[in-house]
mmCIF file of all heavy atoms in Angstrom:
data_model
loop_
_atom_site.group_PDB
_atom_site.id
_atom_site.type_symbol
_atom_site.label_atom_id
_atom_site.label_comp_id
_atom_site.label_asym_id
_atom_site.label_seq_id
_atom_site.Cartn_x
_atom_site.Cartn_y
_atom_site.Cartn_z
ATOM 1 N N GLY I 216 5.170 12.846 -0.608
ATOM 2 C CA GLY I 216 6.112 12.442 0.317
ATOM 3 C C GLY I 216 7.483 13.092 0.145
ATOM 4 O O GLY I 216 8.355 12.972 0.989
ATOM 5 N N ASN I 217 7.721 13.751 -0.977
ATOM 6 C CA ASN I 217 8.851 14.470 -1.257
ATOM 7 C C ASN I 217 8.700 15.960 -1.166
ATOM 8 O O ASN I 217 9.437 16.736 -1.842
ATOM 9 C CB ASN I 217 9.534 14.091 -2.668
ATOM 10 C CG ASN I 217 10.201 12.764 -2.599
ATOM 11 O OD1 ASN I 217 11.389 12.618 -2.487
ATOM 12 N ND2 ASN I 217 9.398 11.637 -2.672
ATOM 13 N N SER I 218 7.649 16.397 -0.474
ATOM 14 C CA SER I 218 7.519 17.805 -0.221
ATOM 15 C C SER I 218 7.845 18.218 1.180
ATOM 16 O O SER I 218 8.048 17.407 2.117
ATOM 17 C CB SER I 218 5.993 18.123 -0.659
ATOM 18 O OG SER I 218 5.183 17.515 0.376
ATOM 19 N N ALA I 219 7.731 19.473 1.473
ATOM 20 C CA ALA I 219 8.077 20.018 2.819
ATOM 21 C C ALA I 219 6.837 19.732 3.701
ATOM 22 O O ALA I 219 7.085 19.699 4.925
ATOM 23 C CB ALA I 219 8.307 21.425 2.736
ATOM 24 N N GLN I 220 5.650 19.280 3.142
ATOM 25 C CA GLN I 220 4.572 19.175 4.065
ATOM 26 C C GLN I 220 4.416 17.675 4.388
ATOM 27 O O GLN I 220 3.208 17.207 4.906
ATOM 28 C CB GLN I 220 3.220 19.650 3.256
ATOM 29 C CG GLN I 220 3.153 21.184 3.045
ATOM 30 C CD GLN I 220 4.141 21.681 2.098
ATOM 31 O OE1 GLN I 220 4.275 21.199 1.056
ATOM 32 N NE2 GLN I 220 4.877 22.776 2.502
ATOM 33 N N ARG I 221 5.277 16.826 4.061
ATOM 34 C CA ARG I 221 5.130 15.411 4.270
ATOM 35 C C ARG I 221 4.735 15.004 5.661
ATOM 36 O O ARG I 221 3.788 14.318 5.758
ATOM 37 C CB ARG I 221 6.474 14.808 3.902
ATOM 38 C CG ARG I 221 6.497 13.216 4.118
ATOM 39 C CD ARG I 221 8.013 12.742 3.939
ATOM 40 N NE ARG I 221 8.042 11.237 4.144
ATOM 41 C CZ ARG I 221 8.310 10.784 5.374
ATOM 42 N NH1 ARG I 221 8.394 11.478 6.457
ATOM 43 N NH2 ARG I 221 8.309 9.459 5.522
ATOM 44 N N ASP I 222 5.507 15.327 6.564
ATOM 45 C CA ASP I 222 5.295 14.984 7.951
ATOM 46 C C ASP I 222 3.921 15.298 8.470
ATOM 47 O O ASP I 222 3.233 14.475 9.082
ATOM 48 C CB ASP I 222 6.392 15.634 8.849
ATOM 49 C CG ASP I 222 7.754 15.040 8.664
ATOM 50 O OD1 ASP I 222 7.770 13.964 7.973
ATOM 51 O OD2 ASP I 222 8.643 15.553 8.913
ATOM 52 N N VAL I 223 3.486 16.598 8.210
ATOM 53 C CA VAL I 223 2.227 17.143 8.637
ATOM 54 C C VAL I 223 1.062 16.350 7.995
ATOM 55 O O VAL I 223 0.147 15.813 8.768
ATOM 56 C CB VAL I 223 2.006 18.533 8.433
ATOM 57 C CG1 VAL I 223 0.606 19.034 8.752
ATOM 58 C CG2 VAL I 223 3.008 19.439 9.160
ATOM 59 N N LEU I 224 1.161 16.119 6.750
ATOM 60 C CA LEU I 224 0.028 15.559 5.970
ATOM 61 C C LEU I 224 0.072 14.026 6.304
ATOM 62 O O LEU I 224 -1.055 13.243 6.286
ATOM 63 C CB LEU I 224 0.167 15.709 4.521
ATOM 64 C CG LEU I 224 -0.078 17.256 4.170
ATOM 65 C CD1 LEU I 224 0.024 17.464 2.595
ATOM 66 C CD2 LEU I 224 -1.428 17.802 4.527
ATOM 67 N N LEU I 225 1.287 13.416 6.438
ATOM 68 C CA LEU I 225 1.300 11.945 6.731
ATOM 69 C C LEU I 225 0.565 11.708 8.145
ATOM 70 O O LEU I 225 -0.127 10.629 8.351
ATOM 71 C CB LEU I 225 2.736 11.437 6.807
ATOM 72 C CG LEU I 225 2.957 9.954 7.073
ATOM 73 C CD1 LEU I 225 2.237 9.092 6.045
ATOM 74 C CD2 LEU I 225 4.389 9.756 7.036
ATOM 75 N N LYS I 226 0.894 12.633 9.143
ATOM 76 C CA LYS I 226 0.216 12.482 10.367
ATOM 77 C C LYS I 226 -1.271 12.522 10.347
ATOM 78 O O LYS I 226 -1.994 11.866 11.069
ATOM 79 C CB LYS I 226 0.819 13.558 11.347
ATOM 80 C CG LYS I 226 0.394 13.389 12.835
ATOM 81 C CD LYS I 226 0.850 14.523 13.613
ATOM 82 C CE LYS I 226 0.406 14.705 14.977
ATOM 83 N NZ LYS I 226 0.983 15.704 15.811
ATOM 84 N N ARG I 227 -1.692 13.371 9.430
ATOM 85 C CA ARG I 227 -3.211 13.656 9.394
ATOM 86 C C ARG I 227 -3.880 12.300 8.490
ATOM 87 O O ARG I 227 -5.062 12.091 8.820
ATOM 88 C CB ARG I 227 -3.539 14.947 8.608
ATOM 89 C CG ARG I 227 -2.991 16.162 9.332
ATOM 90 C CD ARG I 227 -3.733 16.380 10.645
ATOM 91 N NE ARG I 227 -3.289 17.453 11.348
ATOM 92 C CZ ARG I 227 -3.718 17.831 12.580
ATOM 93 N NH1 ARG I 227 -4.657 17.037 13.122
ATOM 94 N NH2 ARG I 227 -3.265 18.865 13.196
ATOM 95 N N ALA I 228 -3.201 11.857 7.547
ATOM 96 C CA ALA I 228 -3.750 11.005 6.668
ATOM 97 C C ALA I 228 -3.728 9.542 7.345
ATOM 98 O O ALA I 228 -4.668 8.679 6.981
ATOM 99 C CB ALA I 228 -3.112 10.831 5.449
ATOM 100 N N GLN I 229 -2.743 9.280 8.093
ATOM 101 C CA GLN I 229 -2.735 7.843 8.659
ATOM 102 C C GLN I 229 -3.915 7.386 9.527
ATOM 103 O O GLN I 229 -4.265 6.183 9.259
ATOM 104 C CB GLN I 229 -1.399 7.794 9.469
ATOM 105 C CG GLN I 229 -0.242 7.397 8.701
ATOM 106 C CD GLN I 229 1.021 6.966 9.483
ATOM 107 O OE1 GLN I 229 1.397 7.634 10.264
ATOM 108 N NE2 GLN I 229 1.529 5.794 9.191
ATOM 109 N N PRO I 230 -4.400 8.213 10.374
ATOM 110 C CA PRO I 230 -5.718 7.689 11.075
ATOM 111 C C PRO I 230 -6.805 7.200 10.123
ATOM 112 O O PRO I 230 -7.418 6.176 10.336
ATOM 113 C CB PRO I 230 -6.043 8.779 12.082
ATOM 114 C CG PRO I 230 -4.862 9.671 12.127
ATOM 115 C CD PRO I 230 -4.095 9.546 10.792
ATOM 116 N N ILE I 231 -7.063 8.035 9.161
ATOM 117 C CA ILE I 231 -8.143 7.741 8.272
ATOM 118 C C ILE I 231 -7.765 6.462 7.355
ATOM 119 O O ILE I 231 -8.552 5.636 7.133
ATOM 120 C CB ILE I 231 -8.393 8.964 7.255
ATOM 121 C CG1 ILE I 231 -8.892 10.144 8.060
ATOM 122 C CG2 ILE I 231 -9.504 8.554 6.284
ATOM 123 C CD1 ILE I 231 -9.086 11.323 7.393
ATOM 124 N N GLY I 232 -6.517 6.429 7.044
ATOM 125 C CA GLY I 232 -6.036 5.172 6.277
ATOM 126 C C GLY I 232 -6.102 4.038 7.183
ATOM 127 O O GLY I 232 -6.553 2.914 6.623
ATOM 128 N N SER I 233 -5.867 4.232 8.472
ATOM 129 C CA SER I 233 -6.027 2.903 9.314
ATOM 130 C C SER I 233 -7.392 2.385 9.344
ATOM 131 O O SER I 233 -7.708 1.239 9.339
ATOM 132 C CB SER I 233 -5.451 3.273 10.716
ATOM 133 O OG SER I 233 -4.144 3.645 10.652
ATOM 134 N N VAL I 234 -8.410 3.356 9.451
ATOM 135 C CA VAL I 234 -9.827 3.047 9.441
ATOM 136 C C VAL I 234 -10.196 2.408 8.177
ATOM 137 O O VAL I 234 -10.872 1.302 8.132
ATOM 138 C CB VAL I 234 -10.772 4.268 9.757
ATOM 139 C CG1 VAL I 234 -12.203 3.721 9.596
ATOM 140 C CG2 VAL I 234 -10.461 4.757 11.159
ATOM 141 N N LEU I 235 -9.915 2.960 7.010
ATOM 142 C CA LEU I 235 -10.310 2.320 5.850
ATOM 143 C C LEU I 235 -9.523 1.029 5.511
ATOM 144 O O LEU I 235 -10.112 0.011 4.894
ATOM 145 C CB LEU I 235 -9.916 3.345 4.589
ATOM 146 C CG LEU I 235 -10.673 4.684 4.572
ATOM 147 C CD1 LEU I 235 -10.226 5.636 3.566
ATOM 148 C CD2 LEU I 235 -12.245 4.392 4.419
ATOM 149 N N LEU I 236 -8.331 0.897 5.933
ATOM 150 C CA LEU I 236 -7.570 -0.323 5.778
ATOM 151 C C LEU I 236 -8.283 -1.371 6.605
ATOM 152 O O LEU I 236 -8.394 -2.632 6.168
ATOM 153 C CB LEU I 236 -6.140 -0.185 6.199
ATOM 154 C CG LEU I 236 -5.152 -1.309 5.710
ATOM 155 C CD1 LEU I 236 -5.159 -1.302 4.184
ATOM 156 C CD2 LEU I 236 -3.727 -1.003 6.275
ATOM 157 N N MET I 237 -8.839 -1.051 7.785
ATOM 158 C CA MET I 237 -9.459 -2.008 8.586
ATOM 159 C C MET I 237 -10.656 -2.560 7.914
ATOM 160 O O MET I 237 -10.960 -3.695 7.934
ATOM 161 C CB MET I 237 -9.854 -1.435 10.023
ATOM 162 C CG MET I 237 -10.690 -2.299 10.843
ATOM 163 S SD MET I 237 -12.535 -2.190 10.666
ATOM 164 C CE MET I 237 -12.779 -0.587 11.411
ATOM 165 N N VAL I 238 -11.397 -1.537 7.257
ATOM 166 C CA VAL I 238 -12.641 -2.029 6.418
ATOM 167 C C VAL I 238 -12.146 -2.950 5.291
ATOM 168 O O VAL I 238 -12.931 -3.992 5.019
ATOM 169 C CB VAL I 238 -13.352 -0.782 5.950
ATOM 170 C CG1 VAL I 238 -14.508 -1.096 5.052
ATOM 171 C CG2 VAL I 238 -13.865 0.148 7.114
ATOM 172 N N PHE I 239 -10.987 -2.657 4.732
ATOM 173 C CA PHE I 239 -10.644 -3.463 3.592
ATOM 174 C C PHE I 239 -10.402 -4.910 3.989
ATOM 175 O O PHE I 239 -10.943 -5.928 3.487
ATOM 176 C CB PHE I 239 -9.343 -2.997 2.938
ATOM 177 C CG PHE I 239 -8.722 -3.852 1.842
ATOM 178 C CD1 PHE I 239 -9.281 -4.121 0.711
ATOM 179 C CD2 PHE I 239 -7.548 -4.482 2.168
ATOM 180 C CE1 PHE I 239 -8.788 -4.908 -0.372
ATOM 181 C CE2 PHE I 239 -6.942 -5.263 1.279
ATOM 182 C CZ PHE I 239 -7.539 -5.587 0.087
ATOM 183 N N PHE I 240 -9.690 -5.155 5.022
ATOM 184 C CA PHE I 240 -9.322 -6.416 5.567
ATOM 185 C C PHE I 240 -10.606 -7.098 6.262
ATOM 186 O O PHE I 240 -10.706 -8.366 6.145
ATOM 187 C CB PHE I 240 -8.255 -6.390 6.574
ATOM 188 C CG PHE I 240 -6.881 -6.221 5.861
ATOM 189 C CD1 PHE I 240 -6.262 -5.081 5.934
ATOM 190 C CD2 PHE I 240 -6.243 -7.233 5.157
ATOM 191 C CE1 PHE I 240 -5.119 -4.893 5.315
ATOM 192 C CE2 PHE I 240 -5.029 -7.068 4.577
ATOM 193 C CZ PHE I 240 -4.342 -5.945 4.597
ATOM 194 N N LEU I 241 -11.482 -6.311 6.684
ATOM 195 C CA LEU I 241 -12.733 -6.854 7.214
ATOM 196 C C LEU I 241 -13.481 -7.404 6.011
ATOM 197 O O LEU I 241 -14.139 -8.535 6.194
ATOM 198 C CB LEU I 241 -13.495 -5.725 7.784
ATOM 199 C CG LEU I 241 -14.803 -6.017 8.672
ATOM 200 C CD1 LEU I 241 -14.469 -6.814 9.929
ATOM 201 C CD2 LEU I 241 -15.668 -4.898 8.922
ATOM 202 N N SER I 242 -13.625 -6.790 4.929
ATOM 203 C CA SER I 242 -14.291 -7.219 3.829
ATOM 204 C C SER I 242 -13.667 -8.482 3.221
ATOM 205 O O SER I 242 -14.400 -9.279 2.663
ATOM 206 C CB SER I 242 -14.286 -6.081 2.666
ATOM 207 O OG SER I 242 -13.038 -5.860 2.050
#
């Protein structure tokens, strides 16, 4: 988050994070 690639990688990681987080709360 303190690198120059923060915005690009955050954009890519969030959709996968949302799916896995959904599974966590489902469990």
Side-chain angles (χ1 to χ4, degrees):
N217 282 267
S218 69
Q220 292 73 45
R221 173 187 180 275
D222 294 336
V223 174
L224 295 182
L225 182 60
K226 182 180 179 181
R227 297 294 179 185
Q229 274 194 302
I231 299 175
S233 298
V234 173
L235 293 177
L236 197 61
M237 178 269 289
V238 176
F239 170 69
F240 284 104
L241 189 72
S242 70

